[in-house]
Amino acid sequence: MLSPIIQRADAERILSSDDATHSRVQLSVPPVGAVLVVDDDDAARWLVVRALARSGIQTFEAVDGKEAVEHVLAKPELIDAIILDVMMPGLNGFDVIRHIKRIPAAATTPIILVTASATEEDDIVRGVEYGAIDYIMKPVSTAVLTAKVRAACERSRAERRLRYDLRFAELHAMIDPLTGLFNRRHFEARIREASAYSKRHDQPFSIVMVDLDHFKSVNDTYGHETGDHVLTQFAAAVRSVLRGEDVAFRYGGEEFVLLLRACDAERAADVAERLQKKLRQRPYLFRDGTSRVITFSAGVAAALPSEGYGSAELVSRADAALYRAKAAGRDRIAYW
C-alpha cells in the first residue's frame, strides 16, 4: 500500500493508469481470472461461459462488438483476457480489437479470436496483425479453450503485477521516506514541468523555500527521534494548506520547498502565511511537557514572464530571499 502521507493529488496523477489498480483488482476478482466473452451467437457464447465457469474463471458477456467495447471502457482493469468472435454484425472482431487497443488501460489485454473454421486462414493472420495473441476454431474444444484462457489470464496478471511494481518503485524513488513529501530529485523534474506549463498558459508560478528555525536545538535537546517527529508534523501542516495543484518537497534536512502553480509571489507569500498561522495554532508538545511553536523562515520567488517563465534562476533567487529572512531575525517571509 502507498503511505497515507504521500500527497494525494500527485499520487493519483502519477498512478492514475491501469498500473495503479493492481492492488485493488486482486481483492475484487477470483484467483483464476476474469474473461470477457464476446459472441452474437447465444448458444456458442453460453458454451464458452459454462466451460470457463467450471474451471473457476469469472466471465462477463457481450452480445456484439459495441457492447464489448463499452464494457472494456467501463472496467478495463477487471478484465484479464477477451474471447472474441470474428464474425459479428455491426462491429466485427477486427473492429473491436482496433477500438480496444486504443484504450490505454486495456491495450495489452490478451485477446483470443474465435473463428468459424480452419479454412479461414486470412482471418487468423489479420487478427494476429491487429494484436490478437491466439485463436480457437469452432466448434470449440472446451479443454483447449480452458487451457488457452488460463495461460492468457496468468500472462495478463503477471504483466499487470510487473507494471504495478515498477510504477510503485518509481513513485517511492520520488518520496522522502520520513515526511512522505516528494524529494529534491523529483523537485528538479517538477519545476521544469511547471515552467513549461506556465509558458503554454502564460501564467506565473512561484516557489517558496522554507527552513525551520533553530531546528538543531530540537535535535540537541530532545534527540533525533523527536526531531524526526517534528519534521513529520511540519509536513502534515504543509499538506493541509496546499491546493490540489500545489506540491511540497523536502529539499534536505529541515529545508523544504513549495511549488505553486498559477501563483504570483504575493499569493505564494499568502500560502506561507497560512502555514505560519497553522503552526501557531498548534504548538508542538514535547515529551517533558513543554510546548513550542515551530517557526520557519521563508524566501519567495516567482517565475518572470520577461524571462519566459524560466526556472533556471528561481531556486537561487528564493534561496537568497530565504537568507535575508533569516538574517532579519527569522520567523518571517521575504521576497526576492
Side-chain angles (χ1 to χ4, degrees), residues 49-124:
V49 167
R50 187 181 65 169
L52 296 180
R54 286 177 174 173
S55 299
I57 299 173
Q58 183 181 5
T59 58
F60 308 103
E61 298 181 51
V63 300
D64 56 34
K66 181 175 180 293
E67 185 179 350
V69 173
E70 290 173 350
H71 194 106
V72 175
L73 280 168
K75 296 287 184 180
E77 73 280 0
L78 294 182
I79 301 171
D80 294 314
I82 299 170
I83 300 176
L84 179 62
D85 188 30
V86 172
M87 300 306 297
M88 294 183 294
L91 295 179
N92 62 33
F94 306 119
D95 295 328
V96 173
I97 294 176
R98 286 191 296 105
H99 282 288
I100 289 175
K101 294 300 179 182
R102 293 172 186 162
I103 302 171
T108 60
T109 302
I111 298 175
I112 300 174
L113 286 178
V114 178
T115 184
S117 71
T119 61
E120 298 190 14
E121 185 176 287
D122 289 346
D123 285 350
I124 297 170

